[in-house]
Amino acid sequence: MIRILSVVLVLFCSNLLFSQSTLFSENFESASEGELSGTTFNGWRQDTENSTNSDWAITNNCPISGSYSMTLHSYGNYCEYAWDDTGEEVAYYATTIDATAYNSVTLSFDWTCGGEVNYDYGRICYSTNGTTWTDFSNSGTYVNQGSTQSVTNLDISDVDGLTFYLGFRWINDSNTGSDPGWNIDNIVVKATANCSVTAGAISAGTDPICNGNSTTLTLSGYSGGTTFQWQSSSDDATWSNIGGATSPTYSASPSSDTYYRVAVTNGCTVYSGSYLLNVSNSTAGTASASTNSLCSGNSVTMSLSGYNGSIQWQSSSNGSSWSNIGGATSSTYVASPGSDFITGQELLMHHVVQPSQMLNLLRLTHV
């Protein structure tokens, strides 16, 4: 029986949290100057719990940053307070902050305060009705700091799942104290969405891939999601949506190493972990043989030049099923067909980038 022995050179490609949402922010830069009162002023109001000659105000006289801050006003002067008068007043944003679908609520803001330690100071509070105020568990007191202080991501999870008013409570007795009273700016409330969606993880059909080829990326292990959006990034930091890539699979064909992730949404959005798909810019090169005809038992040297990548020689007895030849990983390979290579039979050498992509074919004929 006549057999066809084919030897193929294969050039393989080488080197192949949930985030917080901002619920509210205020820097007072769109405000005008004036006192707060029982009516809304620049979006803010004052709830007087114990009357005093001090009132909350918004002014450009003593801004922490920018042009305006929220502070106290007394005896006709902004940035001062009535230290000789007992009182307690809350400045609060007049629109409720909706945290019903959120948890892990945090508060950040900048502040200064003279006041009097243990007697004249500020505290942070909240209310669900605008009249009954509760100090946050982690409020602390704000006093005796002449330079700007920054509170960053203070835990105010007391209001997780609530719709609430955010308040800044000023307390003072009729003793002594130092101006300014409590001065506040750059307020930010953030929280994490309550979300039953699981984003899952990405896998690739082939990784790495050759430049110009494609592979299927698959999102698996997700649950609860009803919409999907694939995104890509060159640095794993700045992400862009991929047009039309809205199913759990995506055929990727980047020209360079690229990160991918999937935004999975069902009322809220979570993101899969990023996946780096590697791309090899390998070069196939050119295959040649030392002779195009040889006798049974003789050998032929096959060579590859002009390539870039790693090499593995393979052999096949039927042209479709291939096996690696142990140790045959250099640019040359000496083939000895053996006694079954008979007159009239052809020895085929395929030069390929991948086993399914033939670039040229050398025919070696028995003589």
Side-chain angles (χ1 to χ4, degrees):
M1 180 176 66
I2 298 177
R3 297 178 182 175
I4 297 178
L5 177 64
S6 301
V7 179
V8 175
L9 171 65
V10 180
L11 176 62
F12 287 100
C13 301
S14 62
N15 289 327
L16 305 175
L17 340 128
F18 306 127
S19 62
Q20 284 190 309
S21 300
T22 300
L23 304 186
F24 171 73
S25 65
E26 173 68 275
N27 62 11
F28 301 102
E29 294 308 291
S30 298
S32 56
E33 187 172 75
E35 295 182 35
L36 308 188
S37 62
T39 58
T40 302
F41 177 71
N42 289 316
W44 290 79
R45 299 182 72 164
Q46 175 176 299
D47 181 32
T48 301
E49 298 186 76
N50 294 297
S51 180
T52 178
N53 285 314
S54 298
D55 288 300
W56 281 101
I58 298 172
T59 180
N60 60 3
N61 279 23
C62 51
I64 291 178
S65 65
S67 298
Y68 288 87
S69 294
M70 185 168 69
T71 187
L72 292 166
H73 175 273
S74 178
Y75 304 125
N77 297 314
Y78 290 108
C79 311
E80 296 184 5
Y81 78 100
W83 55 263
D84 57 348
D85 190 8
T86 300
E88 186 172 335
E89 291 127 345
V90 176
Y92 68 99
Y93 188 63
T95 302
T96 55
I97 300 170
D98 187 0
T100 53
Y102 295 86
N103 61 70
S104 303
V105 184
T106 63
L107 171 66
S108 300
F109 64 98
D110 295 332
W111 66 279
T112 59
C113 182
E116 182 186 10
V117 176
N118 298 324
Y119 298 100
D120 303 348
Y121 54 85
R123 291 183 65 84
I124 310 164
C125 54
Y126 69 95
S127 175
T128 57
N129 57 19
T131 56
T132 303
W133 297 94
T134 303
D135 290 339
F136 284 105
S137 302
N138 296 319
S139 170
T141 58
Y142 300 87
V143 65
N144 197 34
Q145 293 294 335
S147 61
T148 299
Q149 306 294 305
S150 294
V151 175
T152 303
N153 294 329
L154 178 71
D155 177 1
I156 57 168
S157 54
D158 305 53
V159 293
D160 284 2
L162 299 180
T163 297
F164 67 98
Y165 294 97
L166 175 65
F168 295 84
R169 187 200 303 268
W170 176 249
I171 301 166
N172 71 268
D173 70 349
S174 57
N175 197 344
T176 186
S178 300
D179 292 323
W182 203 12
N183 195 7
I184 298 165
D185 208 341
N186 302 319
I187 305 164
V188 180
V189 177
K190 292 185 176 182
T192 302
N194 296 326
C195 196
S196 59
V197 177
T198 301
I202 298 171
S203 60
T206 302
D207 186 3
I209 62 170
C210 293
N211 191 354
N213 289 358
S214 64
T215 189
T216 298
L217 300 179
T218 301
L219 179 69
S220 59
Y222 63 87
S223 64
T226 56
T227 61
F228 306 88
Q229 177 61 65
W230 287 82
Q231 297 180 329
S232 63
S233 172
S234 61
D235 58 5
D236 201 22
T238 303
W239 295 90
S240 300
N241 289 344
I242 301 172
T246 56
S247 73
T249 60
Y250 171 64
S251 180
S253 55
S255 59
S256 60
D257 294 354
T258 301
Y259 292 91
Y260 293 92
R261 73 177 184 182
V262 185
V264 184
T265 302
N266 186 1
C268 58
T269 298
V270 295
Y271 296 90
S272 69
S274 61
Y275 182 91
L276 176 60
L277 179 60
N278 297 281
V279 178
S280 173
N281 292 296
S282 60
T283 303
T286 303
S288 62
S290 60
T291 180
N292 289 95
S293 61
L294 70 162
C295 295
S296 178
N298 288 355
S299 63
V300 59
T301 299
M302 292 177 289
S303 303
L304 180 66
S305 62
Y307 68 92
N308 174 34
S310 59
I311 298 169
Q312 172 64 65
W313 290 86
Q314 294 182 332
S315 63
S316 174
S317 60
N318 56 20
S320 60
S321 178
W322 301 92
S323 300
N324 289 347
I325 300 173
T329 56
S330 67
S331 60
T332 60
Y333 174 64
V334 179
S336 300
S339 59
D340 57 351
F341 184 61
I342 61 176
T343 302
Q345 185 178 349
E346 289 185 333
L347 174 69
L348 304 181
M349 187 183 90
H350 295 180
H351 169 219
V352 300
V353 173
Q354 293 177 343
S356 61
Q357 181 184 356
M358 185 173 66
L359 298 183
N360 61 5
L361 173 64
L362 298 178
R363 296 181 180 272
L364 307 177
T365 306
H366 184 283
V367 294

